[in-house]
Amino acid sequence: MRSTLHEIASVLGVIAAAMVLWEIGVWILKPPPIILPAPSVIFAEFLQAPSYFLRQTAYTIYTTLAGFGLAAVLGLVLAIGIVHSRLLEKTVYTLLVALNSVPKVALAPLFVIWMGTGIEPKIAIALMLALFSVVIDAVLGLRSVDPDMLNLARISRASQFAILRKIRLPNALPSIFAGLKVAISFALVGAIVGEFVAGSEGLGFAILTAQGQFDTPRVFVCLLLLGLLGTVLFYLVEGAERISLPWHVSQRGHASGH
Amino acid sequence: MRTALAPNPAISPATDPAMTTTEPAAASQMPGRATAPAYVSIEGVGKSYGSRHGAVHALAGIDLEVREGEFLSILGPSGCGKSTLLKCIGGLERVTKGSLAVRGQPLSGPPAKAGMVFQRDVLLDWRTILDNVLITAEFLGQSREALKPRALQLLQRFGLSGFENRHPWELSGGMRQRASICRALLCDPELLLMDEPFGALDAMTRDDLNLELARIWQDTRKTVVFVTHGIAEAIFLSDRVVMMDRNPGRIVEVMEIDLPRPRTLAMRETPEFGRYVAHIRHLFAGLGILKEG
Ligand SMILES: Nc1ncnc2c1ncn2[C@@H]1O[C@H](COP(=O)(O)OP(=O)(O)OP(=O)(O)O)[C@@H](O)[C@H]1O
Ligand SMILES: [Mg+2]
């Protein structure tokens, strides 16, 4: 617990130092405010309408988490199917890999045509961007099982389901979490892209509106909020990982002593 | 002088070149001391692995009967197919030739009531030691709760009391291997397959576990197939020792070990024990596996 607080404190310290340098830099170099406003100006902008910014942030959080959650569940189910079925491996997996080589962001307008301008296409884009890394890492994790672990289960005539639940899944958890950590960042990207393409809410939409008005401080408020959001979401997944994997080599240093 | 029986003290095996030419067929046809029925019958079994460099003949023409309640060791150089043979008996590998039956039933998949100890302990890092032992019950669909007392008792017997709630990585190699033996014994298997379980352990721990295993076998009379590199270990534990050679993996001799039970570590100092060791050494030296100075 102390090490976690320590970590948070040091991250905040680095950010604060960067802000101070930025403030001093702007103060000395005096760039036009439309190019680069000082942090103090950005904070003032935020304080003018905090509820507006927080509402946009909440919308983006909702879209991101919905896309991420769906991607996690769907990705895991797909991965389990792919690992157990040659047919699914040949079809779904091949298709996913092919789809992944298309710049998926380019598909965003298509989703708007299909689903309209509500929240659904944004969730769908977040889901699409996040899905791939969940599936790839989960498949990798589910496959890389020590053959003797499987032999151990088979000599006791374990069912496929028992092998999945008691061996493959726990064994794959570290890999699954690696995928989820990438996926949460992609889900956020997807949410913003969705708001860019057709939106009336969210941080992506707020950035686009501010851009229309050449309101650089407002763009920066949104960017900083996005940075904060991305960081918090990432650490939430990492926190979940620490709670679920106290046994893993990478976590043993953090485990509380006996 | 072709024999599968104990080396005749009148003829020193080390000076009897005929000993080294014993053929597996002759060996397996010799009447054994025990007359127990066969638990595992292996007839003409061959196993080839296809690989990029052509087929590997891991086993060829294996004829062997494992009798009910006997302790049988398989001894041979690295790569002679010991693990492969064990996995075939456990139904974990399909044989490519011949037939394999357990209690008269042709094998298709792992036999009922078999337990296996692997060369590496393969404990699951996400489970405590107790839960690792109990996983056998879960796999077999038996009640965890009902078997918990037995698991604790086994752990105690193997000197692991107080470590039930630790995780595998908190234990030494010897302790981990003991836990894996408890896991194999949990549901009281009739057939226990052990693949060099003590191979990675230091000599003292090994002696200790050999004694414990001998005691357990004495008490329960399970049918044990025990793969090892250790000559002394094989003689100490076994009723019979099967000696194998490689390329292709085959049986060169089966030897009865006629030492009294229960066995004690002190027996390893006796001349009889020494004669068995000398015989096996000589055999493997003749095959060019052991270089004699
Ligand atoms: N899965 C596999 N695929 C291809 N070849 C294999 C496979 N498993 C074993 N072999 C080959 O079969 C032969 C016998 O292997 P096996 O593991 O049974 O030997 P072993 O007697 O147990 O050796 P060791 O004492 O070193 O464990 C070796 O030549 C090995 O390369
Ligand atoms: Mg082996």
Side-chain angles (χ1 to χ4, degrees), chain A residues 13 25 33 70 106 113 123 129 136 142 151 156-157 171 187 239 253:
Chain A
L70 289 174
I113 297 176
I123 294 177
L129 283 189
I136 292 293
L142 290 169
N151 282 336
S156 296
R157 304 171 137 206
N171 185 66

Side-chain angles (χ1 to χ4, degrees), chain B residues 78-79 81-84 87 119 195-196 227 229:
Chain B
S78 189
K82 304 183 296 296
S83 298
T84 305
K87 281 185 196 148
Q119 189 159 359
D195 192 355
E196 298 188 43
V227 166
H229 274 132

Side-chain angles (χ1 to χ4, degrees), chain A residues 146 154 157 166 247 252 258, chain B residues 110 120 138 140 169-170:
Chain A
D146 183 337
R154 289 172 55 210
R157 304 171 137 206
K166 293 176 197 289
W247 51 270
R252 281 175 207 166
H258 283 271
Chain B
R120 287 166 308 116
E138 296 173 28
L140 285 168
W169 72 82
E170 300 174 277

Side-chain angles (χ1 to χ4, degrees), chain A residues 34 45 52 206-219:
Chain A
I34 198 159
E45 174 74 25
Y52 167 78
I207 288 175
L208 226 54
T209 338
Q211 178 225 316
Q213 299 162 358
F214 284 87
D215 190 343
T216 315
R218 193 131 54 95
V219 172

